[in-house]
CSV table of all heavy atoms in Angstrom, one decimal:
chain,number,residue,atom,x,y,z
A,1,PRO,N,-16.3,24.6,-21.3
A,1,PRO,CA,-17.7,24.0,-21.1
A,1,PRO,C,-18.4,24.7,-20.0
A,1,PRO,O,-17.9,25.6,-19.2
A,1,PRO,CB,-17.4,22.6,-20.7
A,1,PRO,CG,-16.0,22.3,-21.0
A,1,PRO,CD,-15.2,23.6,-20.9
A,2,SER,N,-19.7,24.3,-19.8
A,2,SER,CA,-20.5,24.9,-18.7
A,2,SER,C,-19.9,24.4,-17.4
A,2,SER,O,-19.2,23.4,-17.4
A,2,SER,CB,-21.9,24.5,-18.9
A,2,SER,OG,-22.1,23.0,-18.7
A,3,GLU,N,-20.3,25.0,-16.3
A,3,GLU,CA,-19.9,24.6,-15.0
A,3,GLU,C,-20.3,23.2,-14.7
A,3,GLU,O,-19.6,22.4,-14.0
A,3,GLU,CB,-20.4,25.6,-14.0
A,3,GLU,CG,-19.8,26.9,-14.1
A,3,GLU,CD,-18.3,26.9,-14.0
A,3,GLU,OE1,-17.7,26.2,-13.1
A,3,GLU,OE2,-17.6,27.6,-14.9
A,4,ASP,N,-21.5,22.8,-15.1
A,4,ASP,CA,-22.0,21.4,-14.9
A,4,ASP,C,-21.1,20.4,-15.5
A,4,ASP,O,-20.7,19.3,-14.9
A,4,ASP,CB,-23.4,21.2,-15.4
A,4,ASP,CG,-24.4,22.0,-14.5
A,4,ASP,OD1,-24.1,22.3,-13.4
A,4,ASP,OD2,-25.5,22.3,-15.0
A,5,GLU,N,-20.6,20.6,-16.7
A,5,GLU,CA,-19.7,19.7,-17.4
A,5,GLU,C,-18.4,19.7,-16.7
A,5,GLU,O,-17.7,18.6,-16.6
A,5,GLU,CB,-19.6,20.1,-18.9
A,5,GLU,CG,-20.8,20.0,-19.7
A,5,GLU,CD,-20.6,20.5,-21.2
A,5,GLU,OE1,-20.7,21.7,-21.4
A,5,GLU,OE2,-20.3,19.7,-22.0
A,6,LEU,N,-17.9,20.9,-16.2
A,6,LEU,CA,-16.6,20.9,-15.6
A,6,LEU,C,-16.7,20.1,-14.3
A,6,LEU,O,-15.7,19.5,-13.9
A,6,LEU,CB,-16.2,22.4,-15.3
A,6,LEU,CG,-15.8,23.2,-16.5
A,6,LEU,CD1,-15.6,24.6,-16.1
A,6,LEU,CD2,-14.6,22.6,-17.2
A,7,ASN,N,-17.8,20.2,-13.6
A,7,ASN,CA,-17.9,19.5,-12.3
A,7,ASN,C,-17.8,18.0,-12.5
A,7,ASN,O,-17.4,17.2,-11.6
A,7,ASN,CB,-19.3,19.8,-11.6
A,7,ASN,CG,-19.3,21.2,-11.1
A,7,ASN,OD1,-18.2,21.8,-10.9
A,7,ASN,ND2,-20.5,21.8,-11.0
A,8,ALA,N,-18.2,17.5,-13.7
A,8,ALA,CA,-18.1,16.0,-14.0
A,8,ALA,C,-16.6,15.6,-14.0
A,8,ALA,O,-16.3,14.5,-13.8
A,8,ALA,CB,-18.8,15.7,-15.3
A,9,PHE,N,-15.7,16.6,-14.4
A,9,PHE,CA,-14.3,16.2,-14.5
A,9,PHE,C,-13.6,16.5,-13.2
A,9,PHE,O,-12.5,16.0,-12.9
A,9,PHE,CB,-13.7,17.1,-15.6
A,9,PHE,CG,-12.2,16.8,-15.8
A,9,PHE,CD1,-11.8,15.5,-16.0
A,9,PHE,CD2,-11.3,17.8,-16.0
A,9,PHE,CE1,-10.4,15.3,-16.3
A,9,PHE,CE2,-10.0,17.6,-16.2
A,9,PHE,CZ,-9.6,16.3,-16.3
A,10,ALA,N,-14.3,17.3,-12.3
A,10,ALA,CA,-13.6,17.7,-11.0
A,10,ALA,C,-13.5,16.5,-10.1
A,10,ALA,O,-14.3,15.6,-10.2
A,10,ALA,CB,-14.3,18.8,-10.4
A,11,GLN,N,-12.7,16.6,-9.1
A,11,GLN,CA,-12.6,15.5,-8.1
A,11,GLN,C,-13.8,15.6,-7.2
A,11,GLN,O,-14.3,16.6,-6.9
A,11,GLN,CB,-11.3,15.7,-7.3
A,11,GLN,CG,-10.0,15.7,-8.2
A,11,GLN,CD,-8.8,15.8,-7.3
A,11,GLN,OE1,-8.8,15.5,-6.1
A,11,GLN,NE2,-7.7,16.3,-7.9
A,12,SER,N,-14.1,14.4,-6.7
A,12,SER,CA,-15.2,14.3,-5.7
A,12,SER,C,-14.7,13.5,-4.5
A,12,SER,O,-13.8,12.7,-4.7
A,12,SER,CB,-16.4,13.6,-6.4
A,12,SER,OG,-16.1,12.3,-6.8
A,13,GLN,N,-15.4,13.6,-3.4
A,13,GLN,CA,-15.0,12.9,-2.2
A,13,GLN,C,-15.7,11.5,-2.2
A,13,GLN,O,-16.8,11.3,-2.7
A,13,GLN,CB,-15.4,13.7,-1.0
A,13,GLN,CG,-14.7,15.0,-0.8
A,13,GLN,CD,-13.2,14.8,-0.7
A,13,GLN,OE1,-12.8,13.9,0.0
A,13,GLN,NE2,-12.5,15.6,-1.4
A,14,ASP,N,-15.1,10.6,-1.6
A,14,ASP,CA,-15.7,9.2,-1.4
A,14,ASP,C,-15.3,8.7,-0.1
A,14,ASP,O,-14.6,9.2,0.7
A,14,ASP,CB,-15.2,8.4,-2.6
A,14,ASP,CG,-16.2,7.3,-2.9
A,14,ASP,OD1,-17.1,7.0,-2.1
A,14,ASP,OD2,-16.1,6.7,-4.1
A,15,GLU,N,-15.9,7.5,0.2
A,15,GLU,CA,-15.7,6.9,1.5
A,15,GLU,C,-14.3,6.4,1.7
A,15,GLU,O,-13.5,6.2,0.7
A,15,GLU,CB,-16.7,5.7,1.7
A,15,GLU,CG,-16.4,4.6,0.6
A,15,GLU,CD,-17.4,3.5,0.8
A,15,GLU,OE1,-17.4,2.8,1.9
A,15,GLU,OE2,-18.2,3.3,-0.1
A,16,ASP,N,-13.8,6.3,2.9
A,16,ASP,CA,-12.5,5.9,3.3
A,16,ASP,C,-12.3,4.3,3.1
A,16,ASP,O,-13.3,3.6,3.1
A,16,ASP,CB,-12.2,6.2,4.8
A,16,ASP,CG,-10.7,6.3,5.1
A,16,ASP,OD1,-10.0,6.0,4.1
A,16,ASP,OD2,-10.4,6.6,6.2
A,17,PHE,N,-11.1,3.9,2.9
A,17,PHE,CA,-10.8,2.5,2.8
A,17,PHE,C,-10.8,1.9,4.2
A,17,PHE,O,-10.1,2.3,5.1
A,17,PHE,CB,-9.4,2.4,2.2
A,17,PHE,CG,-8.9,0.9,2.2
A,17,PHE,CD1,-9.5,-0.1,1.6
A,17,PHE,CD2,-7.7,0.6,2.9
A,17,PHE,CE1,-9.0,-1.3,1.6
A,17,PHE,CE2,-7.2,-0.6,2.9
A,17,PHE,CZ,-7.8,-1.7,2.3
A,18,SER,N,-11.6,0.8,4.4
A,18,SER,CA,-11.8,0.3,5.7
A,18,SER,C,-11.8,-1.2,5.8
A,18,SER,O,-12.0,-1.8,6.8
A,18,SER,CB,-13.0,0.9,6.4
A,18,SER,OG,-14.2,0.6,5.7
A,19,GLN,N,-11.6,-1.9,4.7
A,19,GLN,CA,-11.7,-3.3,4.6
A,19,GLN,C,-10.4,-4.1,5.0
A,19,GLN,O,-10.5,-5.1,5.7
A,19,GLN,CB,-12.1,-3.8,3.2
A,19,GLN,CG,-13.4,-3.2,2.7
A,19,GLN,CD,-14.6,-3.6,3.6
A,19,GLN,OE1,-14.6,-4.8,4.1
A,19,GLN,NE2,-15.4,-2.7,4.0
A,20,GLN,N,-9.3,-3.4,4.8
A,20,GLN,CA,-8.0,-4.1,5.1
A,20,GLN,C,-7.6,-3.7,6.5
A,20,GLN,O,-7.9,-2.6,7.0
A,20,GLN,CB,-6.9,-3.7,4.2
A,20,GLN,CG,-7.1,-4.3,2.8
A,20,GLN,CD,-7.0,-5.8,2.8
A,20,GLN,OE1,-6.1,-6.4,3.4
A,20,GLN,NE2,-7.9,-6.5,2.2
A,21,PRO,N,-7.0,-4.7,7.3
A,21,PRO,CA,-6.6,-4.3,8.7
A,21,PRO,C,-5.5,-3.3,8.6
A,21,PRO,O,-4.7,-3.3,7.7
A,21,PRO,CB,-6.1,-5.7,9.2
A,21,PRO,CG,-5.7,-6.5,7.9
A,21,PRO,CD,-6.7,-6.1,6.9
A,22,ASN,N,-5.4,-2.5,9.7
A,22,ASN,CA,-4.4,-1.4,9.8
A,22,ASN,C,-3.1,-2.1,10.3
A,22,ASN,O,-3.0,-2.3,11.5
A,22,ASN,CB,-4.9,-0.3,10.7
A,22,ASN,CG,-3.9,0.8,10.7
A,22,ASN,OD1,-2.9,0.8,10.1
A,22,ASN,ND2,-4.2,1.8,11.4
A,23,ASN,N,-2.2,-2.4,9.3
A,23,ASN,CA,-1.0,-3.2,9.7
A,23,ASN,C,0.2,-2.5,9.1
A,23,ASN,O,0.6,-2.6,8.1
A,23,ASN,CB,-1.1,-4.6,9.0
A,23,ASN,CG,0.1,-5.4,9.4
A,23,ASN,OD1,0.9,-5.1,10.3
A,23,ASN,ND2,0.3,-6.5,8.6
A,24,PRO,N,0.8,-1.6,10.1
A,24,PRO,CA,1.9,-0.8,9.6
A,24,PRO,C,3.2,-1.6,9.5
A,24,PRO,O,4.2,-1.1,9.1
A,24,PRO,CB,2.1,0.2,10.7
A,24,PRO,CG,1.5,-0.4,11.9
A,24,PRO,CD,0.5,-1.3,11.4
A,25,SER,N,3.3,-2.8,9.9
A,25,SER,CA,4.5,-3.6,9.9
A,25,SER,C,4.9,-4.1,8.6
A,25,SER,O,4.1,-4.7,7.9
A,25,SER,CB,4.4,-4.8,10.9
A,25,SER,OG,3.5,-5.7,10.4
A,26,ASN,N,6.0,-3.7,8.1
A,26,ASN,CA,6.5,-4.2,6.7
A,26,ASN,C,8.0,-4.0,6.7
A,26,ASN,O,8.7,-3.6,7.7
A,26,ASN,CB,5.9,-3.4,5.6
A,26,ASN,CG,6.0,-1.9,5.8
A,26,ASN,OD1,7.1,-1.4,5.8
A,26,ASN,ND2,4.9,-1.3,5.9
A,27,ASN,N,8.6,-4.4,5.6
A,27,ASN,CA,10.1,-4.4,5.6
A,27,ASN,C,10.7,-3.0,5.3
A,27,ASN,O,11.9,-2.7,5.3
A,27,ASN,CB,10.6,-5.3,4.5
A,27,ASN,CG,10.3,-6.8,4.9
A,27,ASN,OD1,10.3,-7.1,6.1
A,27,ASN,ND2,9.9,-7.6,3.9
A,28,GLY,N,9.8,-2.1,4.8
A,28,GLY,CA,10.3,-0.7,4.5
A,28,GLY,C,10.7,0.1,5.7
A,28,GLY,O,10.0,0.1,6.7
A,29,GLN,N,11.7,0.9,5.6
A,29,GLN,CA,12.2,1.8,6.7
A,29,GLN,C,12.2,3.2,6.2
A,29,GLN,O,11.8,4.0,7.0
A,29,GLN,CB,13.6,1.3,7.1
A,29,GLN,CG,13.6,-0.1,7.8
A,29,GLN,CD,12.8,-0.2,9.0
A,29,GLN,OE1,12.8,0.7,9.8
A,29,GLN,NE2,12.1,-1.3,9.2
A,30,ALA,N,12.8,3.5,5.1
A,30,ALA,CA,13.0,4.9,4.7
A,30,ALA,C,11.7,5.7,4.6
A,30,ALA,O,11.6,6.8,5.1
A,30,ALA,CB,13.8,5.0,3.4
A,31,SER,N,10.7,5.1,4.0
A,31,SER,CA,9.4,5.8,3.7
A,31,SER,C,8.7,6.0,5.1
A,31,SER,O,8.0,6.9,5.3
A,31,SER,CB,8.6,5.1,2.8
A,31,SER,OG,8.3,3.7,3.1
A,32,GLN,N,8.8,5.0,6.0
A,32,GLN,CA,8.2,5.1,7.3
A,32,GLN,C,8.8,6.2,8.1
A,32,GLN,O,8.2,7.1,8.7
A,32,GLN,CB,8.3,3.8,8.1
A,32,GLN,CG,7.3,2.7,7.5
A,32,GLN,CD,7.3,1.6,8.5
A,32,GLN,OE1,7.0,1.7,9.7
A,32,GLN,NE2,7.7,0.4,8.0
A,33,GLN,N,10.1,6.3,8.1
A,33,GLN,CA,10.9,7.3,8.9
A,33,GLN,C,10.7,8.7,8.3
A,33,GLN,O,10.6,9.7,9.0
A,33,GLN,CB,12.4,6.9,8.9
A,33,GLN,CG,12.6,5.6,9.7
A,33,GLN,CD,14.1,5.3,9.7
A,33,GLN,OE1,14.9,5.9,9.0
A,33,GLN,NE2,14.4,4.1,10.4
A,34,SER,N,10.8,8.8,6.9
A,34,SER,CA,10.8,10.0,6.3
A,34,SER,C,9.4,10.6,6.0
A,34,SER,O,9.2,11.8,5.9
A,34,SER,CB,11.7,10.0,5.0
A,34,SER,OG,13.0,9.7,5.3
A,35,LEU,N,8.5,9.7,5.6
A,35,LEU,CA,7.1,10.1,5.2
A,35,LEU,C,6.0,9.8,6.3
A,35,LEU,O,5.0,10.4,6.3
A,35,LEU,CB,6.8,9.4,3.9
A,35,LEU,CG,7.6,9.8,2.7
A,35,LEU,CD1,7.2,8.9,1.5
A,35,LEU,CD2,7.5,11.2,2.4
């Protein structure tokens, strides 16, 4: 397709998630330590 059509399928930037409180406490350990 044309570049305009391809741009519609391409990724776009958007605003950050800011509604939920930043709460890192949870029961998971492996993903926190490794990731």
Side-chain angles (χ1 to χ4, degrees):
S2 67
E3 293 303 315
D4 289 341
E5 292 177 278
L6 290 175
N7 289 337
F9 183 50
Q11 300 182 24
S12 60
Q13 296 297 319
D14 208 339
E15 62 181 292
D16 199 0
F17 171 60
S18 58
Q19 298 301 317
Q20 289 295 314
N22 187 357
N23 180 16
S25 63
N26 51 63
N27 296 324
Q29 295 297 322
S31 56
Q32 286 189 57
Q33 293 175 359
S34 298
L35 296 177

